[in-house]
């Protein structure tokens, strides 16, 4: 079976295939991009597997186009940043996992080993890009069948033990494509779910970020498979999820940060950025709407504020007037009026913000009058 290759990537793949062929190697478009082409979805990036030295192919392609290539000899990979796509080149490899959850030992391997090291059959297909059979699908694991049936199937019984993050990858694909785990895969998932506890919190957090990008469905599928209780994440009720989405749709704010924070609000286990920690702490400290606290919360997290507090209509109002409530007067101008920088200045700025929120201050002149009045009081 031949897969139609869209015009925007066909010349790129043909050229890479020809370079490989001239060096005596076969090359393929593999993994997610092969899956997405079959599904007729837009490609985010290009993953090339070369049966041979992928780094040499990447270097030659980059030389032709005057592009920079980043090489990782220890992983047998190279990355080329094109104008429209990032192209990842990898030599066919096999991977072994010394202990559950550890990073794999990578060794050169053949085509079949490279397909069998992968997470799910739908991600273990290859589309040939060498000139003699450009576009031909090579599917040794019946991935196409699973893709058509909407099934996520692991390659072997110990897959989730080798790399428990595959459970979270499965959640991501299930949410994105509406696929379900194949019966035996589901049995392995339930049996091996506790292996997630041995994975570093950094890696888990990265996967949770990806799951949050899938929207509300990502969190729903995660909860359906009880991952939240294994990882001590919050149980996020549907009511909260729906409100996050409702606010995002009203305002155009991407919900992903709020969805992620909704999972992480009740745990200190994860290495969050100080930025995210600050926002989560502010939200947790909110009972009802508090303009001073809400003004300190980044816009990305407003959907979560809206979902959590009782008088949520205030958050909608805040979103529409937020630019008008920042004080116009500068620190320098306040100094000239006799206020020294420090806690007092901060307090006055907050008071101005509250008065702007209440509509009692509208202009910079009003602010100056207020400050003078306050100094004379
Ligand atoms: P997305 O569409 O979300 O970018 P993807 O399928 O392209 O997902 P990547 O993380 O970019 O996934 O990985 C590319 C390919 O590498 C996957 O399709 C899969 O074949 C393989 N892969 C990635 N991570 C793993 C893993 N943890 N275990 C086994 N195979 C993996």
């Amino acid at each position: 079976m031949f897969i139609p290759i869209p015009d925007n990537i066909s010349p790129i793949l043909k050229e890479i295939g020809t370079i490989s062929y001239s060096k005596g190697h076969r090359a393929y478009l593999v993994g997610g991009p092969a899956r997405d082409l079959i599904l007729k979805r837009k490609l985010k990036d290009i993953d090339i597997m070369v049966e041979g030295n992928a780094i040499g192919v990447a270097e030659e392609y980059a030389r032709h186009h005057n592009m920079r290539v980043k090489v990782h000899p220890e992983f047998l990979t190279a990355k080329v940043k094109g104008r429209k796509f990032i192209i990842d080149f990898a030599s066919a490899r096999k991977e072994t996992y010394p202990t559950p959850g550890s990073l794999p030992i990578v060794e050169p391997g053949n085509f079949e080993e490279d397909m069998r090291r992968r997470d799910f059959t739908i991600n273990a297909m290859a589309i040939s890009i060498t000139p003699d059979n450009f576009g031909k699908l090579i599917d040794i694991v019946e991935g196409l069948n699973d893709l058509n049936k909407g099934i996520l199937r692991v390659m072997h019984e110990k897959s989730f033990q080798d790399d428990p993050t595959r459970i979270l990858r499965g959640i991501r694909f299930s949410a994105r494509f509406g696929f379900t785990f194949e019966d035996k895969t589901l049995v392995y998932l339930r049996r091996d779910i506790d292996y997630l506890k041995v994975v570093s919190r950094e890696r888990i957090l990265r996967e949770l970020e990806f799951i949050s990008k899938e929207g509300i469905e990502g969190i729903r599928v995660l909860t359906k498979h009880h991952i939240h209780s294994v990882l001590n994440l919050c149980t996020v009720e549907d009511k909260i999820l729906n409100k996050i989405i409702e606010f995002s749709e009203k305002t155009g704010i991407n919900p992903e940060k709020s969805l992620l924070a909704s999972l992480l609000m009740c745990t200190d286990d994860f290495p969050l950025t100080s930025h995210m920690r600050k926002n989560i702490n502010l939200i947790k400290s909110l009972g009802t709407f508090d303009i001073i606290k809400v003004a300190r919360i980044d816009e990305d997290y407003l959907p979560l504020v809206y979902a959590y507090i009782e008088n949520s209509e205030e958050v909608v109002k805040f979103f529409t007037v937020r630019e008008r409530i920042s004080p116009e007067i500068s620190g320098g101008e306040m100094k000239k009026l006799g206020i020294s920088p420090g806690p007092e200045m901060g307090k006055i700025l907050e008071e101005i913000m509250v008065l702007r929120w209440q509509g009692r201050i509208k202009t910079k002149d009003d602010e100056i009058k207020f400050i003078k009045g306050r100094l004379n009081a």
Side-chain angles (χ1 to χ4, degrees):
M1 174 178 174
F2 280 82
I3 306 296
I5 313 286
D7 290 346
N8 62 335
I9 56 161
S10 181
I12 304 174
L13 298 183
K14 277 197 172 131
E15 186 180 347
I16 296 171
T18 306
I19 295 172
S20 285
Y21 210 50
S22 72
K23 292 176 180 291
H25 308 316
R26 296 204 153 271
Y28 308 85
L29 181 76
V30 289
R35 175 202 67 214
D36 289 346
L37 266 198
I38 299 169
L39 287 172
K40 299 198 165 50
R41 289 171 77 101
K42 246 175 128 181
L43 297 202
K44 285 180 281 180
D45 48 21
I46 293 179
D47 289 349
I48 302 292
M49 184 266 274
V50 178
E51 279 184 286
N53 177 13
I55 294 176
V57 176
E59 285 173 337
E60 188 161 333
Y61 179 81
R63 212 172 22 250
H64 286 183
H65 294 274
N66 224 351
M67 289 168 177
R68 266 221 295 257
V69 55
K70 205 165 172 209
V71 172
H72 293 284
E74 68 283 22
F75 298 119
L76 315 169
T77 61
K79 196 185 268 297
V80 174
K81 258 195 186 148
R83 269 181 301 278
K84 293 188 194 134
F85 292 101
I86 292 176
I87 311 175
D88 280 309
F89 294 80
S91 304
R93 60 166 76 180
K94 63 175 174 221
E95 290 181 349
T96 39
Y97 291 81
T99 54
S102 62
L103 291 173
I105 297 170
V106 177
E107 294 167 275
N110 58 31
F111 178 89
E112 178 159 354
E113 286 164 332
D114 193 278
M115 291 298 118
R116 295 208 182 273
R117 74 175 173 84
R118 291 172 187 268
D119 50 359
F120 298 101
T121 58
I122 61 160
N123 289 339
M125 291 183 275
I127 298 172
S128 172
I129 58 166
T130 27
D132 58 344
N133 58 2
F134 186 81
K136 184 168 184 203
L137 176 68
I138 323 272
D139 177 16
I140 59 171
V141 296
E142 297 192 30
L144 184 61
N145 201 12
D146 288 342
L147 197 62
N148 288 332
K149 288 201 285 200
I151 281 177
L152 293 164
R153 184 195 306 270
V154 283
M155 314 294 287
H156 59 90
E157 203 207 331
K158 297 278 166 66
S159 180
F160 292 139
Q161 293 182 17
D162 279 350
D163 181 357
T165 65
R166 290 174 184 160
I167 294 176
L168 300 175
R169 290 176 58 83
I171 301 288
R172 177 188 346 159
F173 300 124
S174 170
R176 185 186 309 165
F177 300 124
F179 286 8
T180 49
F181 290 100
E182 173 269 338
D183 290 352
K184 275 196 197 141
T185 300
L186 188 59
V187 171
Y188 306 147
L189 187 156
R190 288 183 179 145
R191 182 195 64 193
D192 296 335
I193 199 166
D194 279 332
Y195 280 93
L196 278 170
K197 292 179 180 157
V198 304
V199 178
S200 77
R201 299 289 94 174
E202 284 82 0
R203 288 183 69 202
I204 298 278
L205 183 59
R206 225 171 87 84
E207 292 299 332
L208 294 176
E209 282 166 6
F210 288 135
I211 289 172
S212 303
K213 284 188 203 296
E214 303 300 335
I216 194 169
E217 204 47 28
I219 315 295
R220 284 209 182 111
V221 180
L222 191 85
T223 311
K224 175 175 150 201
H225 293 288
H226 306 289
I227 313 281
H228 62 296
S229 50
V230 175
L231 293 174
N232 286 330
L233 302 166
C234 319
T235 312
V236 193
E237 292 166 26
D238 255 3
K239 197 177 83 191
I240 297 282
L241 293 176
N242 289 333
K243 285 198 92 175
I244 290 177
I245 297 305
E246 183 188 315
F247 191 80
S248 295
E249 283 171 356
K250 261 188 206 166
T251 58
I253 297 173
N254 187 324
E256 68 180 76
K257 287 259 166 46
S258 286
L259 290 172
L260 180 64
S262 73
L263 288 174
L264 297 168
M265 282 180 82
C266 49
T267 169
D268 289 327
D269 277 4
F270 291 88
L272 306 187
T273 57
S274 54
H275 192 253
M276 186 164 199
R277 178 72 61 205
K278 176 201 91 176
N279 282 292
I280 286 182
N281 287 341
L282 277 166
I283 296 171
K284 275 163 63 176
S285 74
L286 280 171
T288 51
F289 188 87
D290 174 337
I291 181 64
I292 292 177
K293 284 183 183 165
V294 174
R296 277 200 237 130
I297 294 172
D298 294 305
E299 195 167 286
D300 284 339
Y301 296 89
L302 288 181
L304 188 58
V305 178
Y306 177 78
Y308 265 96
I309 67 172
E310 275 168 29
N311 44 351
S312 51
E313 284 318 308
E314 295 289 284
V315 190
V316 180
K317 180 178 159 206
F318 170 77
F319 180 77
T320 54
V321 303
R322 69 201 185 292
E323 263 136 33
R324 273 184 275 136
I325 64 167
S326 319
E328 283 176 54
I329 192 160
S330 68
E333 288 163 329
M334 287 177 81
K335 243 165 93 178
K336 278 193 200 141
L337 290 173
I339 298 157
S340 42
E344 199 200 352
M345 192 181 276
K347 194 159 177 290
I348 293 176
L349 286 169
E350 279 183 357
E351 286 171 11
I352 292 176
M353 199 176 60
V354 172
L355 292 167
R356 279 185 167 271
W357 170 248
Q358 294 167 344
R360 289 159 61 195
I361 283 184
K362 290 195 172 69
T363 62
K364 192 164 161 181
D365 279 348
D366 293 345
E367 289 176 353
I368 294 169
K369 263 190 227 142
F370 166 73
I371 293 171
K372 285 184 175 161
R374 205 173 174 283
L375 290 175
N376 294 333

